[in-house]
Amino acid sequence: MKEFIFKPFGEMTEADYETIGFKSGLEIHQQLYTDKKLFCRCPAGIYSDNYDAEILRHMRPTLSELGVYDGTALMEFKTKKEIIYRINRNTVCTYEMDDTPPFLINEDALDIALGIGMLYNCKLVDELHIARKQYLDGSIPTGFQRTSIYAVDGWIPYKDRKVKIVQMSIEEDSCRELSDFFHNRIYLTDRLGMPLIETVTGPDMRTPQEAAEVGWICAKLVRSTHKVRRGIGAARQDVNVSVEGGTRVEIKGVPKIGMIPLLTYNEAMRQWNLLRLREELKKREITSETFQAKNYDITSVIKKPHYVPLKNAVESKLKIHCVVLQGFKDLLRWQTQTDTYFAKEISDRVRVIACLTTIPNIIHSDSRTDTITSSDWQKVKKNVEAADDDTLIIVWASEDDIQTAVNEIIIRAKEATIGIPSETRQALSDGTNGFERILPGADRMYPDTDLPPKQIAPDRIEKIKSWLPEQFWKRQTGYKELGIPTDTIDELSISKYAELFSKAVNEWKVNPVTAAVVLIQYPKRLKKGTLNFGSIDEDMLASILKAYADGKITYDFILSALKTSAELGMFVEEIIPKSITDDELEKEIVLAEQQMEKMEFIKKKNANSIMMGILMNKLRGRISAKIVAEKVSRSKKEFVNVR
Ligand SMILES: [Zn+2]
């Protein structure tokens, strides 16, 4: 393999990522905004920790038709988890628990999904076939998810190229995990069955930044419909990463796009360093054939440890075992990710599969931090007859769990001779990732015989097109030509007022910058100033812009018209102040001049702007500031009282 040592995140260049052959793709899960779930009539989006009942399930692996066990199923069986589903009668019916067949698909959800498929430039299927996708991690009580691929072969523009959209599916959301400790995992079922789309991009992103940028494009595209859910958990991305010679590894359920760069950097580093570790093992002549590990019960060897985790283990009468990895000396300190070492790969497996969830769950002889005393290490070393180039791992657990833990340590260490295990990883808040589960088998889909195929008729597509927004990147090109301020373009292009903007500009001939500022900046400005200010709507904005276009209100009055309308809950013409006659304006100017004569000025040229201030305070909304300014500047009056 190529010689390359990972640099800190901030120092990596595009050329570095090219050297390691970085590739990343996204699978974006986005909840759709509907009242009801996808295949039953339970309400969607009602989240609560309250529950009326609990259902307990155990996972059991069964042999597939091909005579193999699914990796995930086998792993979940090994964990001996008790899976508990909490059920709230307001959000779940018997369908989610597999006691009643599905209802027909939620038509609103399907319309939104198809619309988004069109925005992604996809080809839509003419007939929808519902499939069951095996879900053996426990997050769906039935063990399968109803899903249907409805769009394929799309693209989005990115830099000077196109990023491929491989396929899009409409499917049911899974349960929310509440906790996972020891042998118990608890799920809430309120989210279960809510409509979701999954969008799969090609592995087209070549740096961590590109992966995030493409994520943002996809997020903006779906948000521009205003028919998707927002907020925590409403959009989750699975991020695929591989490097040259590596394996495609999935980091599951990344909640924020901003996390993607650091996460994908660390995963690329992990894969690269695991490949380097395999090289190092080869140098030491350790391959999958020559790999040797031994397991010893040392419960009676370490009698009175001071090291607290082991002291607790002894007091709780747990079993203490030592695994000897032959020739592995110092390799548990082999760096995998930022501040993360190979020992973590082993500890993770022990945590997830043997359910030893209290950390630390292992200690090892490569460690530089204090664990047991060196004399205890010597005692253990002698007892297990370890050589100087071996590494010792100590693990403690109940009689029931100790063998699983020992097996996992040996399995994971041996996998280092092969390279990168096929597994899914979970995103951690520090930007590194941890083991989640063994990758499920490839053949997870099978037809669902409960639901008939569904035609997607051409007139349905036409109806969807009637509400579908223009793709936001096309809008942005147009806005740039109109000279809209850059900080407003992005927001306007996905705003629910984007259609109103084009109407105001094209039909009512409102100045584009004015329209953009009124629609995007003014509502924000008003919201900032007032508590619970949420009553601006499209009708209100349309009436105000139209009144401005018709000359009924002045530019200066737009903001206060919006404020008053929001307070009233609507725009009415009565709030427009009467416009001022020329005579009245002359009178006001005279009054202002009288006021000015009583003042002192530091600089003579300030006088005009002070006079403008006095006049506009009184006349705002009744006359345009431009006309007043002209009058003031033409006034021959000289104010002599300069200090
Ligand atoms: Zn239901």
Short mmCIF file of all heavy atoms in Angstrom, two decimals, residues 453-505:
data_model
loop_
_atom_site.label_atom_id
_atom_site.label_comp_id
_atom_site.label_asym_id
_atom_site.label_seq_id
_atom_site.Cartn_x
_atom_site.Cartn_y
_atom_site.Cartn_z
N PRO A 453 -49.70 -4.18 -6.06
CA PRO A 453 -48.91 -3.14 -6.73
C PRO A 453 -49.79 -1.92 -6.98
O PRO A 453 -51.01 -2.05 -7.05
CB PRO A 453 -48.51 -3.77 -8.06
CG PRO A 453 -48.82 -5.22 -7.94
CD PRO A 453 -49.86 -5.38 -6.89
N LYS A 454 -49.16 -0.77 -7.08
CA LYS A 454 -49.95 0.46 -7.24
C LYS A 454 -49.48 1.23 -8.46
O LYS A 454 -48.30 1.54 -8.59
CB LYS A 454 -49.78 1.31 -5.98
CG LYS A 454 -50.64 2.53 -5.99
CD LYS A 454 -50.54 3.29 -4.67
CE LYS A 454 -51.35 4.55 -4.72
NZ LYS A 454 -52.80 4.32 -4.91
N GLN A 455 -50.43 1.52 -9.36
CA GLN A 455 -50.10 2.30 -10.56
C GLN A 455 -49.78 3.74 -10.18
O GLN A 455 -50.45 4.31 -9.32
CB GLN A 455 -51.31 2.32 -11.51
CG GLN A 455 -51.71 0.98 -12.07
CD GLN A 455 -50.78 0.55 -13.19
OE1 GLN A 455 -50.22 1.39 -13.89
NE2 GLN A 455 -50.60 -0.76 -13.35
N ILE A 456 -48.80 4.32 -10.84
CA ILE A 456 -48.56 5.76 -10.70
C ILE A 456 -49.02 6.38 -12.02
O ILE A 456 -48.32 6.32 -13.03
CB ILE A 456 -47.07 6.08 -10.46
CG1 ILE A 456 -46.48 5.21 -9.36
CG2 ILE A 456 -46.86 7.57 -10.22
CD1 ILE A 456 -46.73 5.62 -7.96
N ALA A 457 -50.21 6.95 -12.02
CA ALA A 457 -50.81 7.42 -13.28
C ALA A 457 -50.22 8.77 -13.69
O ALA A 457 -49.83 9.57 -12.84
CB ALA A 457 -52.31 7.56 -13.09
N PRO A 458 -50.14 9.03 -15.01
CA PRO A 458 -49.58 10.31 -15.49
C PRO A 458 -50.31 11.54 -14.94
O PRO A 458 -49.68 12.56 -14.67
CB PRO A 458 -49.75 10.23 -17.01
CG PRO A 458 -49.85 8.77 -17.31
CD PRO A 458 -50.48 8.13 -16.13
N ASP A 459 -51.65 11.45 -14.75
CA ASP A 459 -52.35 12.65 -14.26
C ASP A 459 -51.99 12.93 -12.80
O ASP A 459 -52.02 14.08 -12.35
CB ASP A 459 -53.87 12.53 -14.44
CG ASP A 459 -54.46 11.34 -13.70
OD1 ASP A 459 -53.71 10.36 -13.50
OD2 ASP A 459 -55.64 11.40 -13.31
N ARG A 460 -51.59 11.90 -12.06
CA ARG A 460 -51.11 12.11 -10.69
C ARG A 460 -49.81 12.93 -10.73
O ARG A 460 -49.63 13.88 -9.96
CB ARG A 460 -50.85 10.75 -10.03
CG ARG A 460 -50.30 10.90 -8.64
CD ARG A 460 -50.20 9.56 -7.92
NE ARG A 460 -50.00 9.82 -6.50
CZ ARG A 460 -50.48 9.07 -5.53
NH1 ARG A 460 -51.18 8.01 -5.81
NH2 ARG A 460 -50.26 9.37 -4.27
N ILE A 461 -48.93 12.58 -11.65
CA ILE A 461 -47.65 13.29 -11.79
C ILE A 461 -47.92 14.76 -12.15
O ILE A 461 -47.29 15.67 -11.61
CB ILE A 461 -46.79 12.63 -12.89
CG1 ILE A 461 -46.54 11.15 -12.57
CG2 ILE A 461 -45.48 13.37 -13.10
CD1 ILE A 461 -45.75 10.88 -11.33
N GLU A 462 -48.88 14.98 -13.05
CA GLU A 462 -49.21 16.36 -13.45
C GLU A 462 -49.70 17.17 -12.26
O GLU A 462 -49.32 18.32 -12.07
CB GLU A 462 -50.27 16.36 -14.56
CG GLU A 462 -49.73 15.95 -15.93
CD GLU A 462 -48.43 16.66 -16.31
OE1 GLU A 462 -48.39 17.91 -16.26
OE2 GLU A 462 -47.43 15.96 -16.64
N LYS A 463 -50.54 16.55 -11.43
CA LYS A 463 -51.06 17.24 -10.24
C LYS A 463 -49.93 17.62 -9.30
O LYS A 463 -49.92 18.71 -8.73
CB LYS A 463 -52.05 16.32 -9.51
CG LYS A 463 -53.48 16.83 -9.59
CD LYS A 463 -54.35 16.04 -8.62
CE LYS A 463 -55.66 15.68 -9.28
NZ LYS A 463 -56.30 14.51 -8.70
N ILE A 464 -48.98 16.71 -9.12
CA ILE A 464 -47.85 16.98 -8.21
C ILE A 464 -47.04 18.16 -8.74
O ILE A 464 -46.63 19.04 -7.99
CB ILE A 464 -46.98 15.72 -8.05
CG1 ILE A 464 -47.77 14.62 -7.34
CG2 ILE A 464 -45.69 16.03 -7.30
CD1 ILE A 464 -47.12 13.26 -7.34
N LYS A 465 -46.86 18.17 -10.07
CA LYS A 465 -46.06 19.27 -10.67
C LYS A 465 -46.67 20.63 -10.36
O LYS A 465 -45.96 21.63 -10.30
CB LYS A 465 -45.96 19.07 -12.19
CG LYS A 465 -44.90 18.06 -12.59
CD LYS A 465 -44.80 17.97 -14.10
CE LYS A 465 -43.81 16.88 -14.50
NZ LYS A 465 -44.00 16.46 -15.90
N SER A 466 -47.99 20.67 -10.15
CA SER A 466 -48.64 21.97 -9.92
C SER A 466 -48.20 22.61 -8.61
O SER A 466 -48.24 23.83 -8.47
CB SER A 466 -50.16 21.81 -9.96
OG SER A 466 -50.58 21.10 -8.82
N TRP A 467 -47.78 21.82 -7.62
CA TRP A 467 -47.31 22.45 -6.38
C TRP A 467 -45.80 22.37 -6.20
O TRP A 467 -45.23 22.91 -5.25
CB TRP A 467 -48.01 21.88 -5.14
CG TRP A 467 -47.92 20.38 -4.92
CD1 TRP A 467 -48.90 19.48 -5.15
CD2 TRP A 467 -46.78 19.63 -4.42
NE1 TRP A 467 -48.46 18.21 -4.83
CE2 TRP A 467 -47.17 18.27 -4.39
CE3 TRP A 467 -45.48 19.96 -4.02
CZ2 TRP A 467 -46.32 17.24 -3.97
CZ3 TRP A 467 -44.63 18.93 -3.60
CH2 TRP A 467 -45.05 17.60 -3.58
N LEU A 468 -45.15 21.66 -7.11
CA LEU A 468 -43.71 21.43 -6.92
C LEU A 468 -42.91 22.72 -7.13
O LEU A 468 -43.13 23.41 -8.11
CB LEU A 468 -43.26 20.36 -7.92
CG LEU A 468 -42.09 19.48 -7.53
CD1 LEU A 468 -42.39 18.73 -6.25
CD2 LEU A 468 -41.77 18.52 -8.66
N PRO A 469 -42.00 23.05 -6.21
CA PRO A 469 -41.20 24.27 -6.43
C PRO A 469 -40.20 24.07 -7.57
O PRO A 469 -39.89 22.93 -7.93
CB PRO A 469 -40.47 24.44 -5.10
CG PRO A 469 -40.37 23.07 -4.53
CD PRO A 469 -41.60 22.35 -4.98
N GLU A 470 -39.71 25.18 -8.09
CA GLU A 470 -38.62 25.09 -9.05
C GLU A 470 -37.37 24.64 -8.29
O GLU A 470 -37.22 24.97 -7.11
CB GLU A 470 -38.39 26.49 -9.65
CG GLU A 470 -37.47 26.50 -10.83
CD GLU A 470 -37.23 27.92 -11.37
OE1 GLU A 470 -37.56 28.89 -10.66
OE2 GLU A 470 -36.72 28.03 -12.48
N GLN A 471 -36.50 23.88 -8.91
CA GLN A 471 -35.27 23.44 -8.21
C GLN A 471 -34.50 24.67 -7.75
O GLN A 471 -34.31 25.60 -8.52
CB GLN A 471 -34.42 22.58 -9.15
CG GLN A 471 -35.03 21.19 -9.35
CD GLN A 471 -34.56 20.54 -10.62
OE1 GLN A 471 -34.37 21.23 -11.64
NE2 GLN A 471 -34.38 19.23 -10.59
N PHE A 472 -34.07 24.64 -6.50
CA PHE A 472 -33.57 25.88 -5.90
C PHE A 472 -32.31 26.41 -6.58
O PHE A 472 -32.06 27.60 -6.59
CB PHE A 472 -33.35 25.71 -4.38
CG PHE A 472 -32.12 24.94 -4.01
CD1 PHE A 472 -30.92 25.60 -3.81
CD2 PHE A 472 -32.16 23.56 -3.86
CE1 PHE A 472 -29.77 24.90 -3.47
CE2 PHE A 472 -31.02 22.86 -3.52
CZ PHE A 472 -29.83 23.53 -3.33
N TRP A 473 -31.50 25.50 -7.19
CA TRP A 473 -30.29 26.00 -7.85
C TRP A 473 -30.65 26.82 -9.09
O TRP A 473 -29.94 27.74 -9.44
CB TRP A 473 -29.32 24.86 -8.17
CG TRP A 473 -29.92 23.68 -8.87
CD1 TRP A 473 -30.17 23.56 -10.20
CD2 TRP A 473 -30.34 22.44 -8.26
NE1 TRP A 473 -30.73 22.33 -10.46
CE2 TRP A 473 -30.84 21.62 -9.31
CE3 TRP A 473 -30.34 21.95 -6.96
CZ2 TRP A 473 -31.33 20.33 -9.08
CZ3 TRP A 473 -30.83 20.68 -6.74
CH2 TRP A 473 -31.32 19.88 -7.78
N LYS A 474 -31.79 26.49 -9.72
CA LYS A 474 -32.23 27.30 -10.88
C LYS A 474 -32.70 28.67 -10.39
O LYS A 474 -32.40 29.69 -11.00
CB LYS A 474 -33.36 26.59 -11.62
CG LYS A 474 -32.90 25.39 -12.40
CD LYS A 474 -34.03 24.82 -13.24
CE LYS A 474 -33.59 23.53 -13.92
NZ LYS A 474 -34.75 22.71 -14.30
N ARG A 475 -33.45 28.66 -9.28
CA ARG A 475 -33.88 29.94 -8.71
C ARG A 475 -32.67 30.81 -8.39
O ARG A 475 -32.65 32.01 -8.68
CB ARG A 475 -34.65 29.70 -7.41
CG ARG A 475 -36.09 29.24 -7.62
CD ARG A 475 -36.71 29.00 -6.26
NE ARG A 475 -38.13 28.67 -6.34
CZ ARG A 475 -38.81 28.13 -5.33
NH1 ARG A 475 -38.19 27.86 -4.19
NH2 ARG A 475 -40.08 27.87 -5.45
N GLN A 476 -31.64 30.20 -7.80
CA GLN A 476 -30.46 30.98 -7.39
C GLN A 476 -29.78 31.66 -8.57
O GLN A 476 -29.35 32.80 -8.46
CB GLN A 476 -29.46 30.08 -6.65
CG GLN A 476 -29.99 29.65 -5.29
CD GLN A 476 -28.95 28.99 -4.41
OE1 GLN A 476 -27.86 28.64 -4.87
NE2 GLN A 476 -29.26 28.82 -3.14
N THR A 477 -29.69 30.95 -9.69
CA THR A 477 -29.09 31.55 -10.88
C THR A 477 -29.87 32.80 -11.27
O THR A 477 -29.29 33.85 -11.56
CB THR A 477 -29.11 30.53 -12.04
OG1 THR A 477 -28.61 29.30 -11.54
CG2 THR A 477 -28.26 31.00 -13.20
N GLY A 478 -31.20 32.70 -11.26
CA GLY A 478 -32.04 33.85 -11.60
C GLY A 478 -31.85 35.00 -10.61
O GLY A 478 -31.75 36.16 -11.02
N TYR A 479 -31.78 34.68 -9.34
CA TYR A 479 -31.64 35.73 -8.31
C TYR A 479 -30.33 36.49 -8.47
O TYR A 479 -30.27 37.71 -8.26
CB TYR A 479 -31.69 35.13 -6.91
CG TYR A 479 -33.01 34.49 -6.53
CD1 TYR A 479 -33.09 33.66 -5.42
CD2 TYR A 479 -34.17 34.72 -7.26
CE1 TYR A 479 -34.29 33.05 -5.06
CE2 TYR A 479 -35.37 34.12 -6.92
CZ TYR A 479 -35.43 33.29 -5.82
OH TYR A 479 -36.60 32.69 -5.47
N LYS A 480 -29.26 35.75 -8.82
CA LYS A 480 -27.96 36.42 -9.00
C LYS A 480 -28.07 37.47 -10.10
O LYS A 480 -27.57 38.57 -9.97
CB LYS A 480 -26.88 35.39 -9.34
CG LYS A 480 -26.24 34.80 -8.09
CD LYS A 480 -25.17 33.77 -8.41
CE LYS A 480 -25.05 32.80 -7.25
NZ LYS A 480 -24.74 31.43 -7.69
N GLU A 481 -28.75 37.09 -11.17
CA GLU A 481 -28.92 38.04 -12.29
C GLU A 481 -29.72 39.26 -11.87
O GLU A 481 -29.51 40.36 -12.38
CB GLU A 481 -29.61 37.34 -13.47
CG GLU A 481 -28.66 36.42 -14.22
CD GLU A 481 -29.38 35.42 -15.11
OE1 GLU A 481 -30.60 35.57 -15.35
OE2 GLU A 481 -28.71 34.47 -15.56
N LEU A 482 -30.63 39.09 -10.92
CA LEU A 482 -31.45 40.21 -10.46
C LEU A 482 -30.72 41.09 -9.43
O LEU A 482 -31.24 42.11 -9.00
CB LEU A 482 -32.75 39.69 -9.83
CG LEU A 482 -33.79 39.09 -10.79
CD1 LEU A 482 -34.90 38.42 -9.99
CD2 LEU A 482 -34.36 40.14 -11.72
N GLY A 483 -29.55 40.66 -9.00
CA GLY A 483 -28.76 41.44 -8.05
C GLY A 483 -29.23 41.32 -6.61
O GLY A 483 -29.00 42.21 -5.78
N ILE A 484 -29.90 40.22 -6.26
CA ILE A 484 -30.33 40.00 -4.87
C ILE A 484 -29.09 39.84 -3.99
O ILE A 484 -28.13 39.17 -4.39
CB ILE A 484 -31.18 38.69 -4.77
CG1 ILE A 484 -32.30 38.68 -5.81
CG2 ILE A 484 -31.71 38.47 -3.37
CD1 ILE A 484 -33.37 39.69 -5.62
N PRO A 485 -29.09 40.46 -2.79
CA PRO A 485 -27.91 40.32 -1.92
C PRO A 485 -27.58 38.85 -1.64
O PRO A 485 -28.49 38.04 -1.43
CB PRO A 485 -28.35 41.01 -0.62
CG PRO A 485 -29.55 41.82 -0.96
CD PRO A 485 -30.14 41.26 -2.20
N THR A 486 -26.28 38.54 -1.64
CA THR A 486 -25.84 37.14 -1.51
C THR A 486 -26.39 36.49 -0.24
O THR A 486 -26.72 35.31 -0.26
CB THR A 486 -24.29 37.05 -1.44
OG1 THR A 486 -23.76 38.33 -1.76
CG2 THR A 486 -23.76 36.03 -2.41
N ASP A 487 -26.45 37.25 0.87
CA ASP A 487 -26.89 36.63 2.12
C ASP A 487 -28.38 36.31 2.12
O ASP A 487 -28.89 35.69 3.04
CB ASP A 487 -26.53 37.52 3.32
CG ASP A 487 -27.25 38.87 3.27
OD1 ASP A 487 -27.69 39.26 2.18
OD2 ASP A 487 -27.37 39.52 4.33
N THR A 488 -29.09 36.76 1.09
CA THR A 488 -30.52 36.51 1.02
C THR A 488 -30.86 35.44 -0.03
O THR A 488 -31.87 34.75 0.08
CB THR A 488 -31.26 37.83 0.68
OG1 THR A 488 -30.83 38.82 1.62
CG2 THR A 488 -32.76 37.71 0.79
N ILE A 489 -29.97 35.28 -1.01
CA ILE A 489 -30.23 34.35 -2.12
C ILE A 489 -30.54 32.94 -1.62
O ILE A 489 -31.53 32.32 -2.01
CB ILE A 489 -29.03 34.32 -3.09
CG1 ILE A 489 -29.02 35.60 -3.94
CG2 ILE A 489 -29.08 33.09 -3.99
CD1 ILE A 489 -27.92 35.66 -4.96
N ASP A 490 -29.67 32.45 -0.74
CA ASP A 490 -29.78 31.07 -0.28
C ASP A 490 -31.15 30.80 0.35
O ASP A 490 -31.83 29.85 0.02
CB ASP A 490 -28.68 30.82 0.76
CG ASP A 490 -28.05 29.46 0.56
OD1 ASP A 490 -28.01 28.99 -0.59
OD2 ASP A 490 -27.61 28.87 1.57
N GLU A 491 -31.52 31.72 1.26
CA GLU A 491 -32.77 31.54 1.98
C GLU A 491 -33.98 31.71 1.08
O GLU A 491 -34.95 30.96 1.18
CB GLU A 491 -32.85 32.56 3.11
CG GLU A 491 -32.53 31.98 4.46
CD GLU A 491 -32.62 33.05 5.52
OE1 GLU A 491 -31.64 33.81 5.67
OE2 GLU A 491 -33.67 33.12 6.16
N LEU A 492 -33.92 32.72 0.23
CA LEU A 492 -35.06 32.99 -0.65
C LEU A 492 -35.31 31.80 -1.58
O LEU A 492 -36.45 31.45 -1.87
CB LEU A 492 -34.81 34.28 -1.46
CG LEU A 492 -35.94 34.71 -2.39
CD1 LEU A 492 -37.22 35.02 -1.62
CD2 LEU A 492 -35.53 35.94 -3.22
N SER A 493 -34.21 31.16 -2.01
CA SER A 493 -34.36 30.10 -3.01
C SER A 493 -35.08 28.87 -2.46
O SER A 493 -35.59 28.07 -3.23
CB SER A 493 -32.99 29.69 -3.56
OG SER A 493 -32.25 29.03 -2.57
N ILE A 494 -35.11 28.71 -1.13
CA ILE A 494 -35.87 27.57 -0.58
C ILE A 494 -37.04 28.06 0.28
O ILE A 494 -37.67 27.28 0.98
CB ILE A 494 -34.97 26.61 0.24
CG1 ILE A 494 -34.29 27.33 1.40
CG2 ILE A 494 -33.92 25.96 -0.64
CD1 ILE A 494 -33.68 26.38 2.41
N SER A 495 -37.31 29.36 0.21
CA SER A 495 -38.36 29.93 1.05
C SER A 495 -39.75 29.57 0.54
O SER A 495 -39.97 29.39 -0.66
CB SER A 495 -38.21 31.46 1.05
OG SER A 495 -39.38 32.05 1.53
N LYS A 496 -40.70 29.50 1.47
CA LYS A 496 -42.08 29.27 1.03
C LYS A 496 -42.63 30.50 0.31
O LYS A 496 -43.70 30.44 -0.28
CB LYS A 496 -42.96 28.87 2.21
CG LYS A 496 -42.99 29.86 3.35
CD LYS A 496 -43.82 29.32 4.51
CE LYS A 496 -43.59 30.18 5.74
NZ LYS A 496 -44.26 29.71 6.93
N TYR A 497 -41.92 31.61 0.38
CA TYR A 497 -42.35 32.83 -0.31
C TYR A 497 -41.70 33.00 -1.68
O TYR A 497 -41.83 34.05 -2.30
CB TYR A 497 -42.05 34.06 0.55
CG TYR A 497 -42.66 34.01 1.93
CD1 TYR A 497 -41.92 34.39 3.05
CD2 TYR A 497 -43.98 33.58 2.12
CE1 TYR A 497 -42.47 34.34 4.33
CE2 TYR A 497 -44.54 33.53 3.38
CZ TYR A 497 -43.78 33.91 4.48
OH TYR A 497 -44.33 33.86 5.73
N ALA A 498 -40.95 31.99 -2.13
CA ALA A 498 -40.23 32.14 -3.40
C ALA A 498 -41.18 32.39 -4.57
O ALA A 498 -40.89 33.18 -5.47
CB ALA A 498 -39.35 30.92 -3.66
N GLU A 499 -42.34 31.72 -4.55
CA GLU A 499 -43.32 31.92 -5.62
C GLU A 499 -43.90 33.34 -5.56
O GLU A 499 -44.08 33.99 -6.58
CB GLU A 499 -44.46 30.91 -5.51
CG GLU A 499 -44.03 29.48 -5.80
CD GLU A 499 -43.51 29.29 -7.23
OE1 GLU A 499 -44.16 29.79 -8.17
OE2 GLU A 499 -42.45 28.66 -7.39
N LEU A 500 -44.18 33.79 -4.33
CA LEU A 500 -44.69 35.15 -4.15
C LEU A 500 -43.67 36.17 -4.64
O LEU A 500 -44.03 37.17 -5.27
CB LEU A 500 -45.02 35.38 -2.66
CG LEU A 500 -45.43 36.79 -2.25
CD1 LEU A 500 -46.64 37.28 -3.03
CD2 LEU A 500 -45.73 36.83 -0.74
N PHE A 501 -42.39 35.88 -4.37
CA PHE A 501 -41.33 36.77 -4.84
C PHE A 501 -41.41 36.92 -6.35
O PHE A 501 -41.39 38.04 -6.87
CB PHE A 501 -39.96 36.21 -4.43
CG PHE A 501 -38.80 36.92 -5.08
CD1 PHE A 501 -38.32 38.11 -4.54
CD2 PHE A 501 -38.22 36.44 -6.25
CE1 PHE A 501 -37.26 38.78 -5.14
CE2 PHE A 501 -37.18 37.11 -6.86
CZ PHE A 501 -36.69 38.28 -6.30
N SER A 502 -41.53 35.81 -7.06
CA SER A 502 -41.49 35.95 -8.52
C SER A 502 -42.76 36.64 -9.04
O SER A 502 -42.71 37.37 -10.02
CB SER A 502 -41.21 34.60 -9.20
OG SER A 502 -42.31 33.78 -9.14
N LYS A 503 -43.87 36.44 -8.34
CA LYS A 503 -45.10 37.14 -8.73
C LYS A 503 -44.94 38.66 -8.52
O LYS A 503 -45.26 39.46 -9.40
CB LYS A 503 -46.26 36.63 -7.89
CG LYS A 503 -47.62 37.01 -8.41
CD LYS A 503 -48.70 36.29 -7.60
CE LYS A 503 -50.07 36.56 -8.16
NZ LYS A 503 -51.11 35.92 -7.35
N ALA A 504 -44.41 39.03 -7.34
CA ALA A 504 -44.23 40.45 -7.03
C ALA A 504 -43.32 41.12 -8.05
O ALA A 504 -43.58 42.24 -8.50
CB ALA A 504 -43.67 40.61 -5.62
N VAL A 505 -42.26 40.42 -8.42
CA VAL A 505 -41.28 41.01 -9.34
C VAL A 505 -41.81 41.01 -10.77
O VAL A 505 -41.75 42.03 -11.46
CB VAL A 505 -39.93 40.25 -9.24
CG1 VAL A 505 -38.97 40.68 -10.34
CG2 VAL A 505 -39.31 40.47 -7.86
#
